[in-house]
Amino acid sequence: MGGYGDVKLLNDDGTRLDGRAIDEMRPLTAEVGILPAADGSAIVTHGLNVAIAAVYGPVEAHPRKIQRQDRAVVDVRYNMAPFSTSDRIRPGYNRRSREISKVTAEALESVVLVERFPRAKISVEIEILAAEAGTRCAGITAASLALADAGIPMRDMVVGVASGKIDNIVVLDLDKAEDNYGQADLPVGILPTTGEIAFLQMDGDLSPEEYNTCMEYNFKAAKEIHQIMIDALKAKYDGGA
Ligand code: CDP
């Protein structure tokens, strides 16, 4: 959220700079089982974002001090590749990637049936190959698919999606320019079957009415993304049926 008031993000006909309507999501594709070495994997492209997720486990958690006697821990590592943005990213963990890893882990732990695997660890690696705003959402969608591909029991998947505000208008799924120069961003992790929210972050300010519109758009998009996720799983496991 740069919040520069002088950057115009809507065309005179009310469309966005990339031609989308205000409640239109960027195109999203998903494929599972792309990494032979992982127990489960997925690739999600969301607009120009490319996110890969790999899942390993459940295995006995090491060192033992991280074990939980009554459940598994879900360990998430979100990383942006150095070549994922126009300014090369310094390799390794930073504050932002730690924060995204933590909120993603908490969201995934709320859907994985962790109590079935006491003292175990399920590792989720999220690698962002191309970043154009919304990578935490693409990452969580990819991670959910990779967990499903690994056969990890879950009560639902988590769909990552964001809405926000540009030029005083609420819009679905901010792209890079909208994220940089817009006024607010509201990424959420939605459980599409139950309608629960597994994570929610807000950058910038929204009125209660704007917040409600953002959530309406987010739920609409989550439904669309969920269908693409189901189709990706069916393509591998039901031969596309
Ligand atoms: O990616 P997401 O929207 O979840 O997170 P963000 O922190 O709001 O970042 C928005 C965008 O800024 C990213 O998707 C990248 O395109 C860009 N970014 C960057 O170029 N360099 C960074 N160190 C962090 C973010």
Side-chain angles (χ1 to χ4, degrees), residues 37-237:
D39 293 322
S41 58
I43 182 166
V44 167
T45 69
H46 186 164
L48 296 173
N49 293 305
V50 180
I52 284 187
V55 166
Y56 299 86
V59 293
E60 190 178 348
H62 281 291
R64 287 183 75 168
K65 67 176 182 193
I66 67 161
Q67 285 184 359
R68 301 291 299 263
Q69 294 309 308
D70 57 341
R71 64 172 178 90
V73 290
V74 179
D75 184 52
V76 174
R77 196 187 61 101
Y78 162 102
N79 185 56
M80 273 170 80
F83 49 79
S84 62
T85 62
S86 41
D87 297 333
R88 180 179 175 274
I89 303 268
R90 201 163 151 227
Y93 248 174
N94 55 39
R95 255 175 62 167
R96 176 177 171 278
S97 63
R98 271 178 217 278
E99 173 220 314
I100 296 177
S101 300
K102 184 171 185 294
V103 294
T104 303
E106 286 169 359
L108 296 174
E109 277 191 349
S110 74
V111 291
V112 171
L113 301 184
V114 284
E115 60 285 354
R116 293 208 186 163
F117 308 104
R119 296 179 294 283
K121 178 166 102 166
I122 298 163
S123 299
V124 181
E125 303 276 343
I126 298 171
E127 202 63 33
I128 305 299
L129 302 187
E132 286 286 339
T135 59
R136 72 195 64 208
C137 292
I140 205 161
T141 303
S144 294
L145 278 170
L147 284 164
D149 183 43
I152 307 282
M154 291 186 281
R155 62 190 181 94
D156 206 343
M157 292 197 281
V158 186
V159 179
V161 61
S163 287
K165 184 166 75 161
I166 57 167
D167 292 3
N168 294 318
I169 301 279
V170 170
V171 296
L172 173 62
D173 190 24
L174 306 191
D175 66 16
K176 184 85 193 305
E178 294 171 340
D179 186 273
N180 280 359
Y181 303 112
Q183 297 156 298
D185 187 19
L186 183 72
V188 291
I190 291 177
L191 277 53
T193 309
T194 66
E196 287 167 79
I197 291 169
F199 92 92
L200 183 152
Q201 299 187 296
M202 190 160 114
D203 191 7
D205 294 324
L206 292 169
S207 69
E209 292 75 26
E210 288 165 345
Y211 172 88
N212 287 339
T213 308
C214 278
M215 290 311 272
E216 188 191 310
Y217 288 175
N218 283 340
F219 273 96
K220 179 177 88 82
K223 228 173 151 178
E224 285 174 41
I225 298 172
H226 188 219
Q227 191 54 53
I228 295 169
M229 294 166 83
I230 291 170
D231 290 345
L233 288 164
K234 279 187 172 171
K236 178 173 174 190
Y237 292 100

